[in-house]
Amino acid sequence: MSDDPETPEVSALAINVTIPEELRWTDTRRGEEFRLSTLNVRLLPDGSLAAKAYGRPVAGGRGAYVSFAVPDRPELAALVAAAAGRAGELWAAHRGPV
């Protein structure tokens, strides 16, 4: 939190990232298999990153969009870091409200 009254307090920064096909995986919740296709990456107040994976049931249908832990795999950690860096570039280059 900033002591400067002119500095807006930002409570959260989050991005959604599509997981490339070759990095996707499946996981099971309550007996149902899900294919994970999206990451939600959050910038925490201490500057670290937290990520959750989201997907839909493999069997199809109107199943819920459910979150899962991201496996500890170097290629997924690299995707999270690269996505955060890219998001920073995009935010830094913003052109203001339209």
Side-chain angles (χ1 to χ4, degrees), residues 8-92:
E9 182 178 343
V10 177
S11 61
L13 288 172
I15 58 172
N16 293 322
V17 181
T18 300
I19 302 169
E21 190 64 42
E22 65 274 9
L23 298 181
R24 293 180 184 184
W25 70 97
T26 59
D27 205 337
T28 304
R29 171 89 38 90
R30 296 186 190 115
E32 189 167 20
E33 188 176 33
F34 288 78
R35 177 87 168 145
L36 291 305
S37 58
T38 305
L39 295 175
N40 177 269
V41 180
R42 291 172 297 134
L43 178 63
L44 301 177
D46 68 359
S48 63
L49 300 171
K52 289 279 188 187
Y54 288 83
R56 296 202 181 273
V58 171
R62 292 181 46 105
Y65 200 62
V66 178
S67 71
F68 289 84
V70 177
D72 186 15
R73 294 177 17 205
E75 62 274 20
L76 292 173
L79 175 61
V80 168
R86 179 65 180 135
E89 292 170 358
L90 292 170
W91 275 107

